[in-house]
Amino acid sequence: MCHPITFKPGTKIDLQKIDPRKVDGDWEKETAYEQIAEYTKRSRELAYKLYAENKRSVLLVLQGMDTAGKDGTIRTVLTGINPQSCQIVPFKQPSSLELDHDFLWRVHMAVPRRGNIGIFNRSHYEDVLVVRVHNLVPKNEWSTRYHRINEFEDLLTDGGVKIVKCFLHISKEEQRERLQARLDKPHKRWKFSKGDLAERKLWDDYQEAYRVALEECNTKHAPWHIIPSDRKWYRNLVVSRLLLDTLEEIDPKFPEEEEGLEDIIVE
Ligand code: AMP
Ligand code: MG
């Protein structure tokens, strides 16, 4: 057992009541990594079939506060999967070209093609998170985005994209330790920017923005999964399992082969 936390569409979510250190069952770091290896092996085989089938795709959306572990999760859950069938897209501050279009323009272009597993490292949700917290566009603009996101995700779902949204839930104290570790270890300093401290001061505003995004965009076709993420190994375990469950549910099939292949001998 290692399930993410999910909610019925339309219900309230209280992030403060969800323990970021929560662990289902009696997992420990070592047993978790053995299990992750097993999950990723099975996912690799299914990803191969998804690619061969070339009809549908998976889109894993990763969101979380700074240091929540988006990069680390990607490294672990995609290990062993054919890189050619993966599309990983990090979303940074929009360029001036991107800002000259609607907020979903760059996102739509980044949706994984048929047969692929795509991962969004941050996503269109930034347009109701950082944008809301800093009022980067007026309220009457960002407040319409929740239902636009729901409609967009509905469109993708109808087109054969299975959307799996994960919120990597960490505590403020865990973030403090991880930011400090970035400062203390010279090889991690490149990940640190002084701006991270200014964002950390807005912790409560971000938690509130996350709560609203999780509640407003928790739809039947694209539900949110809350991943307790203070323990990296548990976060990796839950997301690896979720990817495997998703691929098993899709149940991709090799395409029909041409008739008469069994009689052919290549000379
Ligand atoms: P990182 O994930 O550490 O590489 O940082 C990427 C930065 O880009 C974060 O500070 C995000 O908040 C920011 N970002 C991503 N999408 C947007 C957006 N739509 N508008 C403004 N900032 C964004
Ligand atoms: Mg950063």
Side-chain angles (χ1 to χ4, degrees):
M1 289 257 293
C2 55
H3 294 303
I5 296 159
T6 52
F7 292 85
K8 282 206 185 98
T11 50
K12 298 268 170 236
I13 295 172
D14 186 349
L15 285 175
Q16 282 192 339
K17 290 212 176 116
I18 301 174
D19 181 6
R21 300 189 72 80
K22 180 179 183 296
V23 170
D24 268 351
D26 49 10
W27 291 103
E28 284 173 20
K29 190 171 175 179
E30 272 176 23
T31 48
Y33 276 107
E34 282 165 20
Q35 189 63 63
I36 289 169
E38 169 65 20
Y39 289 155
T40 51
K41 183 165 162 272
R42 282 157 63 189
S43 287
R44 174 172 59 211
E45 287 154 19
L46 290 164
Y48 183 64
K49 280 191 181 171
L50 186 78
Y51 188 69
E53 181 193 71
N54 198 31
K55 282 191 181 148
R56 294 164 294 173
S57 60
V58 173
L59 171 58
L60 189 62
V61 173
L62 295 181
Q63 283 290 161
M65 302 290 285
D66 285 339
T67 76
K70 300 178 284 290
D71 301 301
T73 305
I74 296 170
R75 265 200 307 277
T76 304
V77 304
L78 289 188
T79 297
I81 295 182
N82 179 4
Q84 187 159 242
S85 70
C86 299
Q87 280 175 257
I88 301 148
V89 184
F91 285 92
K92 310 282 180 184
Q93 281 191 11
S95 67
S96 58
L97 176 66
E98 288 166 348
L99 286 172
D100 277 342
H101 293 82
D102 71 83
F103 80 102
L104 291 170
W105 180 74
R106 67 172 182 165
V107 183
H108 210 159
M109 305 257 285
V111 170
R113 57 197 303 170
R114 294 184 208 291
N116 279 15
I117 296 175
I119 300 196
F120 283 179
N121 181 342
R122 304 186 188 268
S123 66
H124 42 300
Y125 283 95
E126 291 295 323
D127 294 284
V128 289
L129 293 165
V130 63
V131 169
R132 173 183 167 132
V133 168
H134 289 280
N135 262 304
L136 299 180
V137 302
K139 180 173 181 185
N140 63 8
E141 202 174 315
W142 60 249
S143 60
T144 64
R145 290 183 172 174
Y146 300 98
H147 90 262
R148 298 207 190 284
I149 287 175
N150 288 342
E151 285 176 358
F152 172 65
E153 292 180 353
D154 191 35
L155 170 83
L156 297 185
T157 305
D158 272 357
V161 183
K162 178 71 194 166
I163 303 171
V164 182
K165 301 185 296 201
C166 294
F167 170 57
L168 308 182
H169 181 44
I170 55 165
S171 62
K172 196 174 180 189
E173 171 56 19
E174 182 69 22
Q175 189 195 54
R176 189 192 64 71
E177 284 175 24
R178 292 185 188 182
L179 284 173
Q180 190 64 52
R182 286 182 182 181
L183 287 163
D184 294 346
K185 295 182 187 155
H187 68 279
K188 284 196 172 175
R189 277 190 199 143
W190 67 273
K191 278 194 175 187
F192 185 88
S193 94
K194 287 182 185 161
D196 294 344
L197 299 179
E199 293 305 283
R200 177 170 163 76
K201 289 210 170 82
L202 299 169
W203 178 274
D204 291 343
D205 294 350
Y206 272 103
Q207 293 289 305
E208 174 62 7
Y210 266 110
R211 180 190 67 76
V212 178
L214 293 169
E215 284 180 4
E216 296 293 319
C217 301
N218 187 29
T219 54
K220 192 163 172 284
H221 53 274
W224 273 105
H225 302 82
I226 300 176
I227 317 290
S229 296
D230 271 8
R231 292 185 171 89
K232 294 176 182 173
W233 57 266
Y234 187 69
R235 172 202 75 204
N236 290 339
L237 179 71
V238 175
V239 181
S240 303
R241 174 64 194 254
L242 188 56
L243 178 63
L244 176 60
D245 285 346
T246 305
L247 287 163
E248 283 182 342
E249 191 192 315
I250 293 177
D251 192 18
K253 301 271 189 291
F254 286 120
E256 287 276 309
E257 55 186 48
E258 286 179 55
E259 275 181 36
L261 293 190
E262 61 280 4
D263 300 328
I264 298 179
I265 292 168
V266 180
E267 291 172 6

